[in-house]
Amino acid sequence: MAETVDVPGDSGTGSPRPLFAGLSDISISQDIPVEGEITIPMRSQIREFDSSTLNESVQNTIVRDLKAVGKKFMHVLYPRKSNTLLRDWDLWGPLILCVTLALMLQRGSVDSEKDGGPQFAEVFVIVWFGAITITLNSKLLGGNISFFQSLCVLGYCILPLTVAMLVCRLVLFAEPGPINFTVRLFVVIIMFVWSIVASTAFLADSQPPNRKALAVYPVFLFYFVISWMILTFTPQ
Amino acid sequence: MATVDDLQFEEFGDATTSLVATPDATTIRIEDPDETPKHPPAPPRSSRREEDDELLGNDDSDKTELLAGQKKSSPFWTFEYYQTFFDVDTYQVFDRIKGSLLPIPGKNFVRLYIRSNPDLYGPFWICATLVFAIAISGNLSNFLIHLGEKTYHYVPEFRKVSIAATIIYSYAWLVPLALWGFLMWRNSKVMNIVSYSFLEIVCVYGYSLFIYIPTAILWIIPQKAVRWILVTVALGISGSVLAMTFWPAVREDNRRIALATIVTIVLLHMLLSVGCLVLPLQMHEEC
């Protein structure tokens, strides 16, 4: 502003003095801090972090990994738009879920060969090769998600179906009948829809907009086959 | 010394505006390769020549040839090479599926829908869906037949899935390979106007299998008459799609060889439907 300022203590003169005229009179007091910190606070923290993961106890490492897996489980159960699953991907969760599912789907080996139910290896192969095929398909269609991120998302979204398997096994302890079957059907359908919604929430954004349906359909087929295996499971 | 004005970049602007300003200016218009220019209506010719022109594309055949060559320029060991086979949008896949369900005589599936952009998405996922549809419907029909029996022990048959997958995928790849080899051999003997690339043949076969998916699902209905009608309808539709696609490719040839080729194609298709649908699902009932 180009106004003139009345400098206090200048009552002697009648005319106002121009701005900045008295600057030469001002001295910088030692109390005003003009220096600041220029060190980067992150660097020391990172160095500290690196050395500490090598030296920390095994329990700390395992608990930290388990917490990460648990956090992602929560993200799957309540799917929101968040990047946690994509940013810090890990394959522990999918491995735990796949092994659990395969173990529960397996029948006792006491039965004869004509059972024809899925063996452990078959479930394992279906889950992992299905996930790999879907990931390749999504990348070939032009999606910008990385290979392991996609595997991570697909593996974690099997969680609702694993819960459905648990429920089905419990329900099967009751007497068999149409009510039994209806309950199991209902549970499996709900969990199937939940899986698809959860995985689509994470995967659909990475596809170009006119190919979203093409990328989501294989996911639908994958979870449908797994749901079918769960629904048709009968104990001996 | 160059003045500042000389060094400034000259904006050439849109072709149309500069043409308005100076009608003699040379302009270049780069078209989107997906848009094909509408060629002027052809003068009336005999229907056979028209069909050939449709197949070739009289004006844009050169352009599509060049562009098709430009698309697949990456070497085959890079990922981008395989991405060119998945360069389809959702609506294109739906259009191709619709085309395989409604064979119109005179309209060639390859020319109309594929247009030198064959994709591997359709064939692969249609075959995968078909494998699981057959397995699941076989299971379901078996289950429904033995519904009231207390002594029946339900087993999901997983071996069938692997066998069905092997049969269907080898059909979808080996038969096109054999057909392509045969057509190439005949091409060297007789100059055919129309020739298809291997991927286009795979595409046609893959999309023609789509009709079997609802057939397999409807197979759950336990009535024999319904099942035979379903198989006949499916075979009719997909067989006619294949026959109409390959008839222009063998038409120029010796009459007997052309007929034999078409009959072989349809026979193989019939073998597939009998082998995959009828036999396993009939055998379930006898067990």
Side-chain angles (χ1 to χ4, degrees):
Chain A
M1 292 187 292
E3 306 157 16
T4 55
V5 170
D6 267 337
V7 178
D10 213 9
S11 49
T13 61
S15 62
R17 292 173 58 184
L19 200 58
F20 300 134
L23 261 186
S24 47
D25 299 334
I26 302 176
S27 66
I28 296 178
S29 150
Q30 294 300 321
D31 297 328
I32 306 174
V34 290
E35 71 272 0
E37 290 228 333
I38 54 171
T39 56
I40 306 171
M42 283 299 292
R43 191 178 291 174
S44 56
Q45 274 183 23
I46 288 177
R47 218 171 277 144
E48 211 180 296
F49 190 64
D50 270 347
S51 58
S52 69
T53 55
L54 274 178
N55 294 335
E56 70 181 7
S57 65
V58 174
Q59 182 191 7
N60 274 355
T61 314
I62 292 183
V63 163
R64 188 169 34 122
D65 280 340
L66 279 178
K67 275 201 202 145
V69 168
K71 198 161 78 145
K72 294 204 191 73
F73 280 170
M74 285 297 123
H75 274 280
V76 169
L77 287 179
Y78 305 108
R80 291 179 308 251
K81 291 270 174 193
S82 88
N83 274 338
T84 313
L85 265 182
L86 289 179
R87 219 181 28 229
D88 323 308
W89 59 266
D90 73 87
L91 291 178
W92 282 114
L95 182 67
I96 296 175
L97 287 172
C98 182
V99 167
T100 316
L101 194 63
L103 280 175
M104 285 198 287
L105 272 175
Q106 196 187 17
R107 311 148 153 274
S109 56
V110 193
D111 287 321
S112 62
E113 287 307 312
K114 65 192 251 319
D115 257 347
Q119 300 300 313
F120 182 92
E122 282 173 351
V123 176
F124 215 78
V125 160
I126 285 184
V127 168
W128 285 101
F129 273 96
I132 290 177
T133 312
I134 296 176
T135 307
L136 277 178
N137 174 66
S138 142
K139 283 187 78 72
L140 281 169
L141 280 174
N144 59 359
I145 194 173
S146 97
F147 184 75
F148 287 107
Q149 279 172 347
S150 171
L151 276 186
C152 169
V153 168
L154 287 168
Y156 269 103
C157 291
I158 295 184
L159 176 66
L161 287 171
T162 313
V163 169
M165 183 75 224
L166 271 168
V167 171
C168 280
R169 277 219 96 146
L170 290 175
V171 168
L172 278 169
F173 282 132
E175 56 153 275
I179 304 178
N180 195 316
F181 179 73
T182 319
V183 167
R184 279 188 294 142
L185 179 69
F186 188 62
V187 166
V188 168
I189 287 182
I190 293 203
M191 292 303 175
F192 166 65
V193 171
W194 199 337
S195 282
I196 295 212
V197 165
S199 62
T200 312
F202 295 113
L203 285 179
D205 288 335
S206 67
Q207 287 293 327
N210 46 354
R211 295 182 185 182
K212 279 204 199 329
L214 294 185
V216 168
Y217 171 70
V219 177
F220 170 84
L221 189 64
F222 176 62
Y223 289 129
F224 186 78
V225 169
I226 296 183
S227 315
W228 179 257
M229 286 197 295
I230 293 177
L231 187 59
T232 57
F233 172 77
T234 49
Q236 54 272 26
Chain B
M1 277 295 268
T3 61
V4 179
D5 288 335
D6 286 345
L7 291 173
Q8 226 176 19
F9 184 72
E10 192 174 325
E11 287 292 334
F12 286 103
D14 204 8
T16 47
T17 52
S18 77
L19 271 177
V20 164
T22 50
D24 290 331
T26 316
T27 57
I28 301 175
R29 203 170 109 241
I30 301 177
E31 278 179 345
D32 200 355
D34 288 337
E35 299 168 11
T36 50
K38 302 182 184 40
H39 35 265
R45 300 178 204 174
S46 68
S47 61
R48 179 167 149 159
R49 297 276 304 281
E50 230 168 37
E51 212 177 279
D52 287 346
D53 287 333
E54 220 180 49
L55 288 167
L56 285 177
N58 32 13
D59 278 337
D60 54 328
S61 66
D62 285 351
K63 182 180 263 193
T64 49
E65 274 300 305
L66 274 174
L67 287 175
Q70 269 175 17
K71 263 185 0 182
K72 305 181 181 13
S73 54
S74 327
F76 68 90
W77 54 83
T78 59
F79 193 69
E80 283 74 27
Y81 176 74
Y82 298 102
Q83 261 185 327
T84 57
F85 302 143
F86 282 77
D87 195 13
V88 278
D89 294 335
T90 312
Y91 75 91
Q92 280 175 327
V93 172
F94 280 147
D95 276 343
R96 293 176 187 191
I97 292 179
K98 262 192 313 210
S100 79
L101 289 177
L102 306 165
I104 306 176
K107 294 246 193 256
N108 188 323
F109 182 76
V110 174
R111 179 66 201 148
L112 199 57
Y113 293 104
I114 301 197
R115 284 182 188 267
S116 66
N117 182 19
D119 70 306
L120 287 180
Y121 177 90
F124 182 76
W125 287 109
I126 290 179
C127 290
T129 314
L130 185 59
V131 165
F132 289 118
I134 291 182
I136 290 179
S137 87
N139 263 336
L140 264 182
S141 71
N142 209 11
F143 176 71
L144 284 177
I145 286 174
H146 299 268
L147 190 50
E149 303 166 14
K150 286 252 185 280
T151 55
Y152 177 67
H153 182 62
Y154 174 75
V155 290
E157 306 257 345
F158 247 76
R159 307 285 176 264
K160 304 275 182 208
V161 175
S162 349
I163 299 177
T166 317
I167 295 180
I168 289 180
Y169 271 104
S170 40
Y171 178 80
W173 282 89
L174 294 180
V175 172
L177 185 65
L179 188 60
W180 176 73
F182 176 75
L183 286 177
M184 285 292 119
W185 174 61
R186 293 310 301 174
N187 244 354
S188 65
K189 299 243 170 130
V190 176
M191 192 55 219
N192 274 330
I193 301 185
V194 174
S195 68
Y196 298 124
S197 74
F198 172 60
L199 281 170
E200 287 171 351
I201 301 185
V202 168
C203 223
V204 174
Y205 264 87
Y207 280 104
S208 74
L209 286 176
F210 180 79
I211 184 72
Y212 286 110
I213 297 177
T215 311
I217 296 177
L218 287 176
W219 199 273
I220 304 175
I221 306 173
Q223 305 294 330
K224 249 190 162 59
V226 171
R227 287 182 176 178
W228 280 108
I229 294 178
L230 280 173
V231 165
T232 320
V233 167
L235 185 60
I237 292 182
S238 59
S240 60
V241 166
L242 286 177
M244 280 194 282
T245 307
F246 290 109
W247 178 243
V250 292
R251 190 173 47 196
E252 314 285 319
D253 211 343
N254 189 354
R255 202 77 187 169
R256 292 167 63 182
I257 295 190
L259 276 176
T261 314
I262 301 289
V263 166
T264 314
I265 294 176
V266 176
L267 259 180
L268 280 172
H269 222 61
M270 202 166 5
L271 257 173
L272 177 81
S273 43
V274 166
C276 255
L277 279 181
V278 177
L279 276 180
L281 301 177
Q282 288 295 82
M283 270 175 1
H284 269 286
E285 291 167 28
E286 271 108 50
C287 309

